[in-house]
Amino acid sequence: LLDRFGEQREALLSTATELEARLGREVRAAGAGSGRKNLWQATGVLRGETEVEVARREQREQLAAVQSARQILQAGAMQSTIRTPLDEPLGLRGTLLERVAPLMHVASAAALGFVYGAGRGYLRGYWQDVTPSVCRELSSAVGRRTAVGAALLVVAFEMLPRAKAEALKALGREEVTDFKAAGALEQLAASDGVYVFLLAALNFAFPYILLPVAINPTQLLVPPSSHEFPHKPTSTP
């Protein structure tokens, strides 16, 4: 949703500027109002605001709302210019949250992997009936190893879409978008093979990394930066 607003930011700013100018002219034309009561208000026959005063107040409120929304859009435009060191290597795009999401995924997976690996290591030592000091040493070693492996797995998965695009570009091929296209099965099989091989290799070198990565909370909350969300173009009024 934030990315969709980001793509339409320029059009929204243009519309907000035009609307602000029109409301400003209407407010200036209506005047500030004298604030004096007419005969009916003074005698208590008519209580509250008149229709003219209500319309004038609504125009001022609408102008304030448009100005506030315009400031929010301009602040979002300034934030979207902030770049991170991983934007170019990973081909990141979208809002600042989506572009720093890989760092969040790596940090979260490493922290979760350390907790899970340390717990597994301590329980393994406890079941082997070793001394508490050995349990703590085993817990620390397994926790660090699981944290490194989980972080490497997330980094690899974040870089694979960019690596796949570069490989297809070097081979002079285009990415498959239709299963009926020529060579679609071979390309999909090769891509799946790379993913499975990478997963098996890292899981062999760093045990206990599958569960922390599978339940990584940031990856469940923030969509991957390489995904294109389909959307229909907005219709002009």
Side-chain angles (χ1 to χ4, degrees):
L1 180 61
L2 293 175
D3 200 15
R4 299 285 78 79
F5 277 122
E7 293 178 353
Q8 301 177 12
R9 184 179 291 114
E10 296 300 329
L12 291 174
L13 277 173
S14 177
T15 303
T17 302
E18 296 176 1
L19 185 59
E20 181 182 1
R22 181 170 63 83
L23 288 174
R25 290 193 298 267
E26 293 179 357
V27 170
R28 288 192 297 270
S34 60
R36 295 187 303 174
K37 296 181 178 180
N38 54 28
L39 178 62
W40 303 108
Q41 292 174 323
T43 56
V45 176
L46 180 63
R47 298 180 182 274
E49 299 174 308
T50 63
E51 294 183 359
V52 175
E53 291 173 342
V54 170
R56 186 182 296 116
R57 176 173 56 80
E58 290 179 350
Q59 287 177 343
R60 290 196 298 267
E61 292 176 353
Q62 291 174 357
L63 178 60
V66 171
Q67 290 174 343
S68 176
R70 187 167 178 270
Q71 292 176 357
I72 293 174
L73 287 172
Q74 288 178 338
M78 294 176 61
Q79 292 178 0
S80 64
T81 59
I82 302 176
R83 300 300 176 188
T84 64
L86 296 179
D87 289 351
E88 184 62 26
L90 298 181
L92 303 180
R93 55 190 177 279
T95 62
L96 179 61
L97 174 62
E98 292 174 333
R99 286 186 280 114
V100 300
L103 297 177
M104 296 167 50
H105 299 338
V106 172
S108 177
L112 192 60
F114 179 82
V115 173
Y116 179 71
R120 288 285 299 264
Y122 190 90
L123 289 177
R124 186 179 181 88
Y126 180 79
W127 289 333
Q128 295 292 332
D129 198 19
V130 298
T131 61
S133 59
V134 175
C135 289
R136 288 192 294 269
E137 289 294 333
L138 184 62
S139 172
S140 176
V142 176
R144 291 195 300 268
R145 187 174 180 181
T146 306
V148 172
L152 289 177
L153 182 58
V154 173
V155 170
F157 278 176
E158 289 289 340
M159 295 183 63
L160 276 179
R162 179 66 180 270
K164 178 183 176 181
E166 294 294 336
L168 291 175
K169 183 179 179 181
L171 296 174
R173 298 184 179 181
E174 297 182 356
E175 187 173 0
V176 171
T177 57
D178 188 0
F179 291 104
K180 297 180 181 180
L185 181 60
E186 291 78 4
Q187 186 178 140
L188 293 174
S191 178
D192 292 343
V194 171
Y195 274 97
V196 171
F197 174 78
L198 180 63
L199 184 64
L202 287 176
N203 187 46
F204 177 79
F206 304 94
Y208 311 141
I209 65 174
L210 296 184
L211 185 61
V213 175
I215 62 175
N216 190 7
T218 60
Q219 289 180 294
L220 298 176
L221 295 174
V222 183
S225 58
S226 61
H227 184 68
E228 293 287 347
F229 291 94
H231 64 285
K232 296 181 180 180
T234 55
S235 58
T236 57

